[in-house]
Each structure stands twice: as structure tokens, then as C-alpha cells.
Amino acid sequence: QVQLVESGGGLVQAGGSLRLSCAASGRTFSNWRITWFRQAPGKVREFVAGIAWSGADINYADSVKGRFTISKDNGKNTVNLEMNTLKPEDTAVYYCAARQLLGSVYEYWGQGTQVTVSS
């Protein structure tokens, strides 16, 4: 059974940091891409950052560029999202999702983890 499990969310003050992790299991993801999305209350889900399973081909939303860093931990089969200089507008449920490198549909999704940034 394929699973993506997010962890690391929580409550933090503006300017603080959090580290989210997405643990992937149940299949080989070598030709897949892992992407972080977020959804704030009343808003549509938006792209945050993505990385190929190889650790290459990294990209970020403009709103998080320079503050967030996505990385692949090969030893643990996890994709991490280091979030620094957090702002209240970063408050959202954060999801990781997986799609095949040549595909366009995200086939697997995690359950989400809440990030709340207080002002």
C-alpha cells in the first residue's frame, strides 16, 4: 500500500521556522516527483515546492522562494520542507503529493499537516 505521511506541522510565531517531512512508502519512487502544496481556509490549494526523487529539478513558488528549502533524504525515503522566516500568510494545511515524472496527475496524496503562524 502506497503511503505518503506528512509530519512536523505546528504553531510558530512569525519569523520562526518549521521543518515538514513527507515519508513515502509502498513502492519505488525513482521516476516520480514529490511536491508540497498548501491550502489555507477559504482559498484554493496552491503549489509550494517540488523535487524529483533523484533530488534534482527543484522549484519553488515565488511566495516562498528564499525562505523555504525542499530536499530529499535518501536514507529515510523522505522529502523535507525547511520553512524559515515564516509569515502569518503561510498558515495552511500542507500536503505532499506524488506524480510520475512524465505524468500530470498527482496519484498519491498525504493526509496533510497543519501549519499555523501567529503574528
Side-chain angles (χ1 to χ4, degrees):
Q1 179 183 359
V2 177
Q3 282 192 311
L4 299 178
V5 180
E6 303 98 335
S7 61
L11 173 64
V12 64
Q13 289 188 331
S17 299
L18 280 175
R19 185 173 188 250
L20 305 184
S21 293
C22 174
S25 62
R27 67 161 300 139
T28 300
F29 286 94
S30 56
N31 293 317
W32 291 65
R33 182 174 184 79
I34 304 296
T35 301
W36 285 95
F37 293 89
R38 66 186 182 187
Q39 187 166 19
K43 295 190 176 181
V44 298
R45 184 170 57 204
E46 65 176 359
F47 165 79
V48 176
I51 187 170
W53 193 253
S54 65
D57 193 19
I58 291 173
N59 60 343
Y60 298 96
D62 288 343
S63 59
V64 306
K65 206 171 290 184
R67 299 187 299 122
F68 290 12
T69 302
I70 190 171
S71 63
K72 170 72 171 51
D73 184 335
N74 292 320
K76 295 183 179 180
N77 268 9
T78 61
V79 172
N80 300 312
L81 186 68
E82 188 76 32
M83 307 187 296
N84 298 313
T85 319
L86 283 161
K87 305 175 181 180
E89 51 263 44
D90 294 317
T91 295
V93 177
Y94 284 70
Y95 301 89
C96 63
R99 66 165 173 84
Q100 298 186 53
L101 286 178
L102 298 181
S104 59
V105 176
Y106 284 89
E107 298 182 35
Y108 304 111
W109 289 82
Q111 81 288 350
T113 185
Q114 176 71 47
V115 171
T116 303
V117 184
S118 63
S119 57

